[in-house]
Amino acid sequence: MEKQGRGQFRDGPAAESLRFGRRFMMGDAPRGRIAERFARLAAERRAGFIPYVTAGYPTLAHTRELLAGLAEAGADVIELGIPFSDPMADGPTIQRSSQGALDQGTTVDDAFAVLAELRESSDVPVVIFSYLNPVHSRGVQTFIRRAVDAGADGILPTDLPLGADPPLEAALEACPLDLVRLIAPTTSPARVREIAGASQGFVYYIARTGVTGARAELRGELVREAGAVRAASPLPVAVGFGVSTAEHARAVGAAADAAVVGSALVDRLDDGGVAGALELARELRSALNEVRPG
Amino acid sequence: MTPSTPHTGRFGPYGGRYVPETLIPALDELAAAYAKASGDSGFLAEVDRLAEDYVGRPTPLYRARRFEAEAGVGPVYLKREDLNHTGAHKINNTVGQALLARRMGKPRIIAETGAGQHGVATATACALFDLECVVYMGTEDVERQSLNVYRMELLGAEVRPVDSGTRTLKDATNEALRDWVTNVADTHYIIGSVVGPHPFPLIVRDFQAVIGREARRQILEAEGRLPASVVACVGGGSNAMGMFHAFAGDEEVALIGVEAAGEGLGSGRSSAPLNEGRPGVLHGSLSYLLQDADGQVAPAHSVAAGLDYPGVGPEHSHLKDSGRARYVSVRDGAAERAFRALPGLEGIIPALETAHALAWVVEAGRRGEVEVPVAICLSGRGDKDVVHVAGLGDGEAGSGDGEAGPGAVP
Ligand SMILES: Cc1ncc(COP(=O)(O)O)c(C=O)c1O
């Protein structure tokens, strides 16, 4: 698996051509599954669907079933969340799912094991979504090796902003996983360009200043902001945090390359079980099929 | 306050800024505002004036002769941070940070609190500067430090109980960080100890360093020499860093931090990350941390709400690794006994947090392990703990005594 992003495309004419021919005119550059998926989405002129799942919530058996179902429902990338005891960027829903998973005794290895099982039936790209401490605790290289062996394609550390830990970031950039970077509404335009240039696979734009959690409304400025990030980014842009309904997905999908849906799926899992969550997933999927970013 | 040179945010390998991207601009803004303020004589003069007129500094360095007789060591000096307005060292930091917030034009303040002392000190500074104040506090602490909840409310703060996780300081801090991520545009987070992402550990240490600066001058006057030992309790580590900082260059002075062993090291009911944790990332910085094999943060326990925290400030981790400071621990029961003993000996009711430092001097003194003269940071007064300790009974049964672990006081 090869990855795109920094290093390969950062400077010079390659970066230029990437900016204009982005997402689907990658020439002969070898790509990872994430890049391939986004290239295909662009070619098919539709927006991507990225569901988030907390590993082990409410049980590992549910996660297993949910992952397979989401792949079948047409998820383009799946974010597999490693539950953490102190999820400081998360609202009540994902706090609850993380604590629930930990109460079940879910470990990092359990999360990798369900991913490895998914790989028996699906090659949908999977990004490991984790707070830094479980990664640090295991040892970065060991964590990476286990994740790669299990079939992960990317890693998204919530609490590792650009420049926070250059040696650690370099290790993650050099590894076979795509290091997906986050951009927030508070990020300055200059830093948006830096982060987008350093990200791998895709760029994650945080839809609001705040923590995760389902919302009734998206902010009015979101579409314009996502467009600005997209214009500054050589990579596809996914938007998440608060995206909850098919209507939201359509709005996001018209401005960005993909929509990430987390808390709303967890809420639906609570109310309607795996079947309910998959029903919402299919609604979101078809809504995103109807739109594509301009 | 010492004007600080540009800081990397690292103490050895520890510290850093492991936070969601959303907070990076606010941390940059804070670091810049602080760098500017700490080189501005007007700002420094205002901090000094408030320390004198409002907080009541300098605090005395008091020689505790009856305590010496009881402990069999002396001279023992107590740095009386309990005599600060609001009753603890915490206000040294909150007044400084509230001034910074005002300079940055942030009208809203949030804080976390364990013992409630930092919450009270924050609410006080907010009243003084007419800032809106919200304090997060774990529901277990709301119960055991109820006096301070009422004080905060009287001072005009809103206390928001936090019922998640361990329902103590760690979870209050998570909730404060979530609030900050959400309201960062108009809100400053006055963090209560030398923890959190850069530049907080630096700012809080600098505002607390007045403790050691005064103590150093005072003991030189009283004894004509530096202390052989400087002792302070360590929760997040702010009173200890404040006490240690001025002595850091005095190699002949032993710096001793006392962590809470709770029901004993190894019991799984302790709050001593420097004694039994390993480096990890919590609340934005890399430091020693109580955690399980999978990197999940382990629940802490201490009878003292202000020490009941699985992490510790990054500078302490560096001082531990470098050997410049030594970190010991004291159990709940020994701290409770010191809490009960000092009032009758000296007419001073110490906070349960502070009682850990006193207990270590008593117990290590009996073993002949305390170099004198010793200066102890009496970080706060214990009014807030009276009801809770009374409810614990006579301090002999069920107080977490038993066989001592390594470094623990039996
Ligand atoms: C009186 C007193 N001492 C000590 C502490 C522990 O904090 P730190 O280690 O930051 O001084 C607290 C915390 O609430 C406190 O109230």
Side-chain angles (χ1 to χ4, degrees):
Chain A
M1 171 170 47
E2 272 291 327
K3 58 187 179 185
Q4 61 181 82
R6 202 177 198 155
Q8 277 166 285
F9 297 113
R10 208 162 157 221
D11 303 302
E16 251 337 79
S17 74
L18 185 63
R19 248 188 77 60
F20 294 105
R22 57 202 232 171
R23 297 175 192 90
F24 42 96
M25 291 177 56
M26 303 290 293
D28 296 318
R31 304 167 182 170
R33 276 196 286 243
I34 294 174
E36 268 167 21
R37 185 62 69 126
F38 276 102
R40 198 201 306 166
L41 282 169
E44 294 170 1
R45 305 173 75 75
R46 57 199 184 96
F49 170 47
I50 307 185
Y52 161 93
V53 174
T54 303
Y57 182 75
T59 70
L60 280 166
H62 286 83
T63 306
R64 211 172 280 129
E65 202 184 328
L66 193 56
L67 289 177
L70 287 168
E72 198 175 303
D76 292 298
V77 176
I78 295 176
E79 280 186 10
L80 181 61
I82 305 287
F84 182 52
S85 54
D86 294 86
M88 67 170 161
D90 285 298
T93 300
I94 292 178
Q95 288 174 44
R96 175 161 40 83
S97 65
S98 302
Q99 194 55 52
L102 293 175
D103 290 346
Q104 293 284 316
T106 308
T107 63
V108 175
D109 283 337
D110 289 335
F112 290 151
V114 287
L115 170 53
E117 282 180 56
L118 173 70
R119 283 284 168 259
E120 290 166 14
S121 63
S122 168
D123 67 352
V124 60
V126 172
V127 171
I128 300 292
F129 189 98
S130 183
Y131 286 84
L132 198 53
N133 202 51
V135 181
H136 183 270
S137 169
R138 178 62 64 96
V140 180
Q141 292 306 340
T142 309
F143 189 97
I144 291 168
R145 199 164 53 244
R146 301 299 307 260
V148 170
D149 288 350
D153 301 275
I155 181 164
L156 196 164
T158 347
D159 47 358
L160 184 66
L162 184 74
D165 189 331
L168 176 59
E169 292 168 81
L172 289 170
E173 282 169 359
C175 86
L177 301 172
D178 282 329
L179 173 59
V180 179
R181 300 281 196 168
L182 295 135
I183 291 172
T186 55
T187 308
S188 71
R191 191 169 157 88
V192 165
R193 283 190 296 278
E194 252 188 280
I195 296 173
S199 195
Q200 298 175 330
F202 62 97
V203 172
Y204 189 132
Y205 184 63
I206 300 171
R208 65 158 179 268
T209 304
V211 295
T212 59
R215 287 292 184 279
E217 310 259 352
L218 294 177
R219 290 181 307 124
E221 317 85 77
L222 177 60
V223 166
R224 186 191 53 75
E225 291 169 6
V229 170
R230 194 161 174 267
S233 172
L235 291 176
V237 175
V239 172
F241 276 43
V243 183
S244 310
T245 64
E247 190 194 335
H248 295 170
R250 268 188 293 273
V252 165
D257 300 278
V260 184
V261 180
S263 298
L265 277 170
V266 174
D267 286 337
R268 189 66 80 86
L269 186 60
D270 284 340
D271 297 342
V274 172
L278 291 178
E279 188 184 299
L280 175 60
R282 281 188 292 270
E283 279 169 37
L284 294 162
R285 170 71 282 168
S286 64
L288 288 159
N289 282 340
E290 296 162 19
V291 288
R292 61 181 181 81
Chain B
M1 219 180 92
T2 29
S4 52
T5 44
H7 197 275
T8 60
R10 294 280 171 177
F11 303 93
Y14 301 107
R17 298 203 306 193
Y18 300 95
V19 293
E21 169 65 22
T22 310
L23 292 180
I24 292 297
L27 294 172
D28 282 343
E29 180 191 5
L30 178 60
Y34 179 63
K36 196 150 167 251
S38 56
D40 173 347
S41 56
F43 179 80
L44 299 177
E46 195 167 7
V47 171
D48 286 349
R49 183 184 65 77
L50 284 164
E52 206 176 304
D53 298 350
Y54 189 72
V55 176
R57 305 206 70 91
T59 58
L61 185 75
Y62 163 75
R63 181 160 176 192
R65 291 179 191 270
R66 291 196 62 211
F67 178 85
E68 288 174 7
E70 177 74 11
V73 288
V76 174
Y77 287 88
L78 304 179
K79 179 60 176 163
R80 296 290 307 275
E81 293 300 298
D82 59 316
L83 293 178
N84 284 327
H85 180 41
T86 69
H89 67 292
K90 297 289 184 186
I91 198 161
N92 300 325
N93 169 45
T94 61
V95 165
Q97 284 205 51
L99 273 172
L100 263 183
R102 205 178 56 175
R103 277 169 77 102
M104 291 188 293
K106 307 262 180 175
R108 181 174 180 268
I109 298 294
I110 55 170
E112 84 298 338
T113 197
Q117 287 302 123
H118 175 60
V120 167
T122 304
T124 299
C126 288
L128 183 62
F129 297 121
D130 192 19
L131 300 165
E132 184 189 342
C133 182
V134 172
V135 180
Y136 291 92
M137 187 171 191
T139 48
E140 179 174 336
D141 296 336
V142 165
E143 219 161 275
R144 60 179 161 168
Q145 310 278 229
S146 55
L147 174 65
N148 277 341
V149 176
Y150 188 57
R151 290 172 80 198
M152 286 183 266
E153 287 170 351
L154 272 179
L155 290 159
E158 180 194 342
V159 179
R160 293 192 186 161
V162 177
D163 204 34
S164 56
T166 53
R167 298 182 288 115
T168 55
L169 183 53
K170 167 179 83 86
D171 306 280
T173 307
N174 287 335
E175 214 47 44
L177 282 164
R178 290 181 189 119
D179 181 314
W180 204 30
V181 168
T182 308
N183 300 299
V184 63
D186 73 343
T187 298
H188 175 61
Y189 178 16
I190 300 191
I191 210 162
S193 192
V194 286
V195 300
H198 174 68
F200 283 113
L202 180 72
I203 293 177
V204 179
R205 182 256 272 160
D206 285 355
F207 283 133
Q208 292 293 0
V210 66
I211 304 174
R213 270 201 312 279
E214 287 176 7
R216 193 174 184 282
R217 175 168 52 71
Q218 289 164 321
I219 200 162
L220 281 172
E221 265 165 37
E223 288 286 313
R225 57 161 293 185
L226 289 171
S229 320
V230 167
V231 182
C233 68
V234 177
S238 67
N239 87 91
M241 265 331 299
M243 188 73 176
F244 291 174
H245 191 59
F247 296 100
D250 303 318
E251 291 297 330
E252 68 272 36
V253 179
L255 306 177
I256 295 152
V258 185
E259 293 195 309
E263 295 174 9
L265 296 184
S267 69
R269 297 268 300 158
S270 61
S271 298
L274 292 164
N275 278 277
E276 50 181 359
R278 62 193 171 88
V281 175
L282 178 68
H283 298 151
S285 63
L286 176 68
S287 197
Y288 278 83
L289 178 63
L290 294 179
Q291 55 184 315
D292 71 13
D294 230 23
Q296 305 296 342
V297 178
H301 163 79
S302 168
V303 68
L307 305 184
D308 193 340
Y309 183 67
V312 66
E315 193 167 6
H316 286 292
S317 292
H318 181 50
L319 290 174
K320 171 189 160 74
D321 284 7
S322 70
R324 178 63 191 94
R326 185 153 72 92
Y327 295 90
V328 296
S329 67
V330 157
R331 293 179 181 213
D332 287 349
E336 286 160 33
R337 280 195 298 278
F339 176 91
R340 288 187 164 90
L342 195 69
L345 290 171
E346 299 288 352
I348 298 169
I349 303 175
L352 267 175
E353 291 79 12
T354 312
H356 286 72
L358 298 165
W360 182 81
V361 171
V362 171
E363 302 290 337
R366 283 196 190 126
R367 298 192 303 265
E369 289 173 11
V370 180
E371 304 283 341
V372 293
V374 53
I376 305 172
C377 184
L378 201 97
S379 57
R381 71 179 188 218
D383 310 40
K384 67 184 180 63
D385 298 311
V386 168
V387 172
H388 187 68
V389 173
L392 292 173
D394 66 5
E396 295 309 316
S399 58
D401 272 4
E403 204 189 320
V409 169

